Structures are given as C-alpha cells and as structure tokens.
Amino acid sequence: MLELKNVSTSYGPVAMLREVSMNIGQGELVCLLGPNGAGKSTTFKALSGLLPLDGGEIRLMGEDVSRLGTERLAALGVGFVPEGRRLFPSLSVRQNLRLGYDASGCREPFEARLEVICALFPRVRERLNQQANTMSGGEQAMVALARALIGDPQMLIMDEPSLGLSPKLIDEYFDTVSRIHAEGKTVLLIEQNAETALSISDRGYLIVRGRIAVTGTRAAMLQDDTIRHMYL
C-alpha cells in the first residue's frame, strides 16, 4: 500500500533522511522506531507532503505521490495523526471532526461517519460541542485519532501518538489502535515507545541518524541486540 524508495530529505544544508526505504502492505500495522533526532518526525513530514524530497520517491497504492500536498494525500485516503495532536484549539470537537471529514475523499454522509466514530469513541459523543483546548491531553489525543478516521481512510499514519500521555492512557490508546487495525485498517505507527509499539505491530523498522538500521518481524525486533540495548 505504501512504499518509500531511497527517500532523502534535508533542512537547508543538513541532511536528515538518507536513502530511506520502507514498505507497508495492505492490512499491516508497521511501526517506525528511533531515538530523538533520528528522523522519525521527518519521515512523517515527508510522507504527509510537508517536506519536499531531495531524492527517491513515495508510492501510495502504486501511484507516485512524492510531490503531492497533504490535502491531496488526505483525499486519496490517508489519515494523519500529527505529533502533538494539532487540533484547532478554539473550535469544538464536532468542528474539528468536520474539518477532517471535509479534507477526505469520503462519500458517506458526515452524520453517518460521525455515528461510526462516536460508537468507537463514546467520549467523543459526550464532548462534541466542547472547545478542543478545554479538554485533557488524553481526550485531545482521542479526538485527533477520531479526526483522522472520520473520513474512513484506507491508511492511517501516526506520529508519536503516545507523547505526553500517562502509562494508563498509553495502554488504552494502543488498545484502540490495535482494534482499528484488527478491523482491516493499514497503519504506520511512528513511535519512540518501542516495547508498546512492537507489542501491537506486525513488523518494524528502526531509524538511526536518518538511515534504516534494523528491520524485521515483531519477534525479531524484540530480540535484536541494537533495539534491546536502546529501548528494552
């Protein structure tokens, strides 16, 4: 469903991603791990059309999307959960969800999709008219995920969703992601919380200094000496 071929990016003269290659098959949950500054969020920005490529290409369902903007990628069926939630703080939960829906290519009516989301996230129904910046961090994380899902995307790309959450909320959040994946959604989970991310993933990649250093199945990644030394 998603393939990166030798993707390179930079911030001015500073090289960030160095010929990164990854692939995510339809229905897989794949995690991208790495320490701070390794290139995880840069990968998200490249995938979401926020950062131009210096080289390589990104293909979505076989189509070259390397130069498409975020809005076009959303319309093609990709849901994004950015680091830090990035909700519109002065808007209500319903308005935030509506913006996510309008950005997607979904043809199902908004109210029908809203009902699906409220069934998945009962707290969202209770908070529909509440202003986003008055919610707790855990509730905002839930709304950011709901906003990405309301357009019924074919693929979900998430950047550090556990950031700032308590251990209990992290467990609940990842349980929800696991359920979404079990229902057939393809997921790329970009995360620093390696043990929890690997616990729900089919496969994983480790990025270090802008390069893919390790890749393998969940079991292989959990046994890899580099990952055990860095994380476990």
Side-chain angles (χ1 to χ4, degrees):
M1 178 164 281
L2 180 69
E3 184 177 15
L4 288 76
K5 292 183 176 180
N6 300 318
V7 168
S8 297
T9 67
S10 60
Y11 293 126
V14 181
M16 293 301 296
L17 300 184
R18 306 164 190 263
E19 299 188 341
V20 168
S21 294
M22 299 168 52
N23 65 83
I24 296 92
Q26 186 169 354
E28 280 194 305
L29 197 168
V30 176
C31 64
L32 175 63
L33 310 173
N36 286 332
K40 300 190 303 302
S41 289
T42 302
T43 302
F44 179 86
K45 290 175 182 176
L47 287 170
S48 56
L50 296 172
L51 184 65
L53 307 189
D54 294 336
E57 65 178 11
I58 298 170
R59 303 188 75 84
L60 177 68
M61 293 174 283
E63 179 182 348
D64 187 349
V65 297
S66 306
R67 290 170 178 79
L68 297 187
T70 313
E71 71 286 350
R72 182 65 184 136
L73 292 167
L76 287 173
V78 183
F80 296 104
V81 181
E83 181 182 350
R85 329 302 179 219
R86 300 300 177 116
L87 299 178
F88 296 91
S90 63
L91 300 184
S92 69
V93 170
R94 177 187 284 272
Q95 289 169 324
N96 271 276
L97 295 178
R98 181 71 203 216
L99 288 171
Y101 172 85
D102 288 344
S104 74
C106 185
R107 297 182 179 181
E108 193 175 350
F110 172 70
E111 292 298 330
R113 286 301 306 163
L114 183 60
E115 189 58 36
V116 171
I117 291 300
C118 287
L120 182 62
F121 304 101
R123 188 68 63 86
V124 166
R125 192 188 305 276
E126 302 171 10
R127 300 285 194 269
L128 282 176
N129 297 315
Q130 184 170 335
Q131 196 167 300
N133 64 358
T134 66
M135 305 176 75
S136 69
E139 290 170 338
Q140 290 186 25
M142 174 185 60
V143 173
L145 179 54
R147 183 180 59 184
L149 290 169
I150 195 164
D152 195 21
Q154 297 186 60
M155 181 170 192
L156 193 61
I157 302 179
M158 315 174 72
D159 187 17
E160 301 276 16
S162 72
L163 195 66
L165 298 182
S166 68
K168 180 177 184 296
L169 287 176
I170 288 173
D171 289 343
E172 292 176 0
Y173 191 97
F174 277 78
D175 283 346
T176 301
V177 174
S178 186
R179 280 191 288 129
I180 292 166
H181 169 238
E183 292 172 1
K185 199 72 71 182
T186 304
V187 180
L188 173 59
L189 175 60
I190 300 171
E191 218 359 290
Q192 190 172 356
N193 191 328
E195 192 165 11
T196 306
L198 284 170
S199 72
I200 65 170
S201 298
D202 299 311
R203 296 187 294 112
Y205 292 87
L206 173 68
I207 187 168
V208 179
R209 296 178 182 174
R211 298 183 186 276
I212 298 298
V214 180
T215 181
T217 64
R218 170 174 54 198
M221 295 284 280
L222 285 168
Q223 294 300 316
D224 183 87
D225 289 342
T226 302
I227 293 175
R228 291 176 66 85
H229 173 73
M230 294 177 69
Y231 291 108
L232 306 180

